[in-house]
Amino acid sequence: MTKIIEILSANEVRRTLTRVASQIVEKSGNPSELVLLGIHSRGVPLAQILADQIEVLEQVKVPVGALDITFYRDDLDRVAMRTPAKTEIPFDLTGKTVVLVDDVIYKGRTTRAALNAVNDYGRPEKIWLAVLVDRGHREVPIQPDFTGKKLPTAKEEQVKVYVQELDGRDGVELIKG
């Protein structure tokens, strides 16, 4: 029997992203050197929300790009097939602080693939990782710099993030069973 537990409501997602944006600004020291790269698919709208919030906080417009990591994965034979999305990075990454943005970090393989992909687009000064949910169970030594919610899970559980732009609502759910 499947059990669905709401972890974050739409309001809690908004507040969480506001906090993460503040932490990014605080750590950066110079928000004009930031660029945000959302990892397809839900990382892209999350990156835009963070950029909008940074603009409200600092009056600095942070560039936002989209990164598809499909062909950089080392586990394509084990993940569900999907049509690759378009990588859009309409700015130079060289010398910038790149913040990779994703919805959930689990094993760390998506982030590792994203790091490899970024190298094809320039040489950033720094690369940070911001995630909405960290559910644990890493297989590679990668940890986020900014975490909205730490959510210890069992391996058989799932974490589902909903974003308005793709799903018609915002929220985070834990799916058991």
Side-chain angles (χ1 to χ4, degrees), residues 64-83:
V64 178
L67 190 62
D68 180 79
I69 53 91
T70 302
F71 297 117
Y72 293 89
R73 295 193 67 102
D74 64 356
D75 57 355
L76 275 176
D77 59 330
R78 289 185 293 247
V79 295
M81 286 299 294
R82 69 180 182 98
T83 304

Side-chain angles (χ1 to χ4, degrees), residues 2 17 21 30 59 100 168:
T2 302
L17 291 172
N30 184 2
Q59 293 71 56
L100 293 172

Side-chain angles (χ1 to χ4, degrees), residues 31-78:
S32 63
E33 291 300 312
L34 292 171
V35 298
L36 301 181
L37 289 181
I39 299 172
H40 276 293
S41 59
R42 283 168 179 75
V44 176
L46 293 175
Q48 188 60 59
I49 293 166
L50 289 170
D52 292 346
Q53 189 58 40
I54 290 169
E55 187 173 2
V56 167
L57 293 169
E58 296 293 310
Q59 293 71 56
V60 173
K61 191 159 186 64
V62 177
V64 178
L67 190 62
D68 180 79
I69 53 91
T70 302
F71 297 117
Y72 293 89
R73 295 193 67 102
D74 64 356
D75 57 355
L76 275 176
D77 59 330
R78 289 185 293 247

Side-chain angles (χ1 to χ4, degrees), residues 67 69 71-74 100 109-122 127:
L67 190 62
I69 53 91
F71 297 117
Y72 293 89
R73 295 193 67 102
D74 64 356
L100 293 172
R109 293 187 177 280
T110 297
T111 303
R112 188 210 42 80
L115 291 168
N116 289 341
V118 165
N119 287 330
D120 284 349
Y121 293 94
I127 303 175

Side-chain angles (χ1 to χ4, degrees), residues 4-173:
I4 298 173
I5 301 165
E6 182 179 66
I7 301 301
L8 296 174
S9 68
N11 282 336
E12 290 167 326
V13 168
R14 181 185 47 76
R15 284 193 302 269
T16 299
L17 291 172
T18 298
R19 177 176 44 80
V20 170
S22 296
Q23 291 171 344
I24 291 170
V25 166
E26 186 176 327
K27 186 172 181 177
S28 77
N30 184 2
S32 63
E33 291 300 312
L34 292 171
V35 298
L36 301 181
L37 289 181
I39 299 172
H40 276 293
S41 59
R42 283 168 179 75
V44 176
L46 293 175
Q48 188 60 59
I49 293 166
L50 289 170
D52 292 346
Q53 189 58 40
I54 290 169
E55 187 173 2
V56 167
L57 293 169
E58 296 293 310
Q59 293 71 56
V60 173
K61 191 159 186 64
V62 177
V64 178
L67 190 62
D68 180 79
I69 53 91
T70 302
F71 297 117
Y72 293 89
R73 295 193 67 102
D74 64 356
D75 57 355
L76 275 176
D77 59 330
R78 289 185 293 247
V79 295
M81 286 299 294
R82 69 180 182 98
T83 304
K86 186 175 181 188
T87 292
E88 296 178 47
I89 306 176
F91 42 80
D92 189 10
L93 301 181
T94 304
K96 297 291 188 180
T97 297
V98 172
V99 182
L100 293 172
V101 181
D102 206 2
D103 57 348
V104 178
I105 186 168
Y106 179 38
K107 296 177 180 180
R109 293 187 177 280
T110 297
T111 303
R112 188 210 42 80
L115 291 168
N116 289 341
V118 165
N119 287 330
D120 284 349
Y121 293 94
R123 173 72 169 85
E125 181 72 25
K126 295 178 221 163
I127 303 175
W128 293 335
L129 175 63
V131 298
L132 183 58
V133 178
D134 180 351
R135 64 171 290 196
H137 303 287
R138 255 9 133 255
E139 292 178 356
V140 294
I142 292 174
Q143 298 299 324
D145 298 281
F146 310 99
T147 303
K149 174 91 174 159
K150 285 189 181 236
L151 181 65
T153 62
K155 286 188 177 186
E156 63 274 3
E157 294 173 331
Q158 292 180 313
V159 175
K160 178 71 176 153
V161 173
Y162 299 94
V163 293
Q164 184 69 41
E165 295 79 355
L166 299 175
D167 307 304
R169 68 183 177 108
D170 293 325
V172 177
E173 294 176 344

